[in-house]
Amino acid sequence: MNREIDLRSCSISDLEKLSESLGEKKFRGKQIFGWVHKGIDSIEDMNNLPKKFIDELKLVSYVNNMDILEVLTSRVDGTKKYLFALKDGNVIESVLMKYRHGNTVCVSTQVGCKMGCGFCASTIGGIVRNLSAGEIIGQILSIGKNIGERISNVVLMGSGEPLDNYNEVLKFLRLVNNELGLNIGMRNITLSTCGIVPKILDLAKEDIQITLAISLHASNDKLRDKIMPINKVYNINSIINACKEYIKITNRRITFEYSLIKGVNDDIESAKELAGILKGMLCHVNLIPLNEVREKSFKSSENNKVKAFQDTLMKYGIEATIRRELGSDIEAACGQLRKDYIDKGDN
Ligand code: SAH
């Protein structure tokens, strides 16, 4: 038989069934789960399992599902960017951010992305495939092991559109939250989406306490159509209605992400228009100075423009924060590192 079961993708009940199918007691499933989520990368390390069982497990399954190809560490703030090779040779990237409140990992959910946002490097080569739940959690386990510290927060803001890979992302959320595993609280997890409306409504019904972040980046459909093609399918109005429904069901505050692009969406009129859209909602706006992507012509707004945009939103009663730029010296833009790696290989 092939070693085809990725243990990092398995729930406790999957592992209990696997143990029983190999003639072992059910409780071995929980033991395996514990080991996998401790971040070990070899079945040999599961030292409280019988030797014979370890050998059988090794025949049908594996733990390590990615290898670190490269780590870039920011000299400015200690942010680390990881490039991983998956078992099939595909390459993905993840980021570790060190905050006073703990370590946050930003994970990718797909290899590439098909959403086509005009300012984003992740989407330049289109989508290759979805990541499995095990490959999403593998990024956190590998980084935790690499730094020897606990990861306390997760953001699904790497390459890919999480709600375009709904089932594996939901499976991942339940794995990472499991108290016998990494035990990362749902409240410490943020999922960012470009606005796949039906999936936002599905997510509302999952009964999980994650923070939903919506990549809005424009205050009217005319502009959003241009910079985010998904807007032609789910326009601003439909997203806002879905968000209102989400808030009604979950009572959770939504974050709206707004990347400020010089001369495109950073004027005071846009800030006023945005305030009008969000008025009265349980939400806040996260303003992100654009990370300039080499292949794209968009430029980042100047600091005074960002500040004026924030002030306008606040004046109209919308809470707004400016995201601190981390890892500015290490290809921080979404998908840039992976793209550079692939381009190097093409030459
Ligand atoms: N597909 C998800 C996750 C994407 S990455 C989504 O669309 O939300 C997380 C955030 O970074 C999104 O808000 C995305 O629009 C934004 N982003 C992508 N490229 C960027 C860039 N070059 N500069 C600033 N923000 C960027």
Side-chain angles (χ1 to χ4, degrees):
M1 212 191 292
N2 264 338
R3 288 163 39 124
E4 57 197 12
I5 303 170
D6 177 353
L7 295 179
R8 287 178 172 170
S9 270
C10 294
S11 64
I12 290 176
S13 112
D14 294 337
L15 295 171
E16 287 172 343
K17 282 186 205 126
L18 176 64
S19 301
E20 286 176 325
S21 76
L22 295 173
E24 271 292 333
K25 292 260 165 54
K26 189 175 164 188
F27 78 91
R28 297 287 182 202
K30 278 192 182 147
Q31 289 181 321
I32 300 172
F33 189 87
W35 282 116
V36 168
H37 294 268
K38 262 199 180 77
I40 57 158
D41 44 27
S42 161
I43 294 174
E44 294 282 347
D45 294 344
M46 302 185 183
N47 63 27
N48 57 356
L49 303 186
K51 177 81 181 72
K52 186 168 149 281
F53 185 38
I54 288 190
D55 290 341
E56 277 163 0
L57 265 183
K58 274 164 58 185
L59 286 177
V60 297
S61 65
Y62 58 89
V63 188
N64 187 37
N65 56 5
M66 61 188 67
D67 294 310
I68 296 178
L69 281 178
E70 208 175 313
V71 186
L72 299 182
T73 304
S74 164
R75 263 168 293 195
V76 185
D77 52 41
T79 296
K80 285 181 192 284
K81 196 134 193 183
Y82 289 81
L83 199 64
F84 291 108
L86 304 175
K87 277 194 157 301
D88 64 0
N90 274 305
V91 171
I92 54 168
E93 61 183 73
S94 328
V95 186
L96 167 75
M97 291 159 289
K98 290 182 159 263
Y99 293 105
R100 244 165 296 143
H101 62 262
N103 293 316
T104 298
V105 170
C106 171
V107 293
S108 291
T109 54
Q110 296 179 315
V111 181
C113 182
K114 67 174 183 218
M115 296 300 155
C117 299
F119 43 81
C120 180
S122 297
T123 196
I124 293 174
I127 184 152
V128 179
R129 68 168 174 86
N130 282 332
L131 294 181
S132 66
E135 289 171 324
I136 305 175
I137 203 163
Q139 301 166 56
I140 302 171
L141 293 170
S142 302
I143 292 176
K145 184 160 191 235
N146 182 257
I147 61 165
E149 289 174 27
R150 181 179 141 74
I151 308 299
S152 54
N153 296 66
V154 176
V155 296
L156 289 87
M157 293 190 183
S159 297
E161 167 48 49
L163 297 188
D164 187 40
N165 182 15
Y166 190 86
N167 292 341
E168 291 303 306
V169 163
L170 259 289
K171 210 166 134 188
F172 156 74
L173 291 174
R174 299 210 154 97
L175 288 174
V176 82
N177 177 239
N178 194 297
E179 53 186 23
L180 297 181
L182 288 169
N183 196 17
I184 299 178
M186 289 291 187
R187 286 169 183 268
N188 291 351
I189 301 176
T190 299
L191 182 153
S192 175
T193 176
C194 62
I196 315 284
V197 165
K199 298 292 177 193
I200 293 174
L201 297 172
D202 288 347
L203 194 62
K205 297 180 202 121
E206 299 282 356
D207 196 23
I208 49 176
Q209 300 286 300
I210 58 167
T211 298
L212 178 65
I214 305 283
S215 301
L216 205 57
H217 305 319
S219 54
N220 59 65
D221 285 328
K222 191 161 166 258
L223 175 60
R224 199 166 189 271
D225 277 351
K226 274 197 214 138
I227 58 175
M228 297 183 70
I230 188 69
N231 199 63
K232 292 177 193 143
V233 186
Y234 306 113
N235 66 15
I236 295 181
N237 193 35
S238 70
I239 294 175
I240 296 298
N241 286 337
C243 287
K244 286 184 175 157
E245 187 64 19
Y246 186 91
I247 294 167
K248 203 159 91 191
I249 296 173
T250 64
N251 204 23
R252 300 280 299 156
R253 185 175 79 152
I254 289 185
T255 300
F256 287 95
E257 296 163 279
Y258 195 101
S259 295
L260 287 153
I261 313 174
K262 187 177 182 170
V264 174
N265 64 358
D266 62 349
D267 55 297
I268 297 300
E269 277 316 303
S270 297
K272 287 184 189 163
E273 198 172 32
L274 181 61
I277 293 170
L278 302 181
K279 198 169 177 271
M281 274 175 92
L282 180 63
C283 73
H284 98 287
V285 175
N286 201 198
L287 298 169
I288 315 166
L290 187 82
N291 275 308
E292 291 174 13
V293 171
R294 221 165 299 121
E295 293 78 5
K296 310 271 184 180
S297 55
F298 291 127
K299 296 278 170 250
S300 186
S301 300
E302 277 130 22
N303 286 345
N304 61 342
K305 279 269 187 185
V306 176
K307 188 75 184 66
F309 202 96
Q310 179 190 30
D311 290 345
T312 308
L313 287 175
M314 305 276 264
K315 196 171 106 193
Y316 284 86
I318 308 292
E319 206 183 308
T321 46
I322 300 172
R323 187 183 293 174
R324 196 156 60 93
E325 205 188 344
L326 290 176
S328 52
D329 53 338
I330 52 163
E331 305 285 15
C334 211
Q336 184 81 63
L337 185 63
R338 168 175 175 266
K339 184 161 188 316
D340 290 351
Y341 183 84
I342 294 170
D343 291 349
K344 260 189 270 166
D346 284 347
N347 295 329

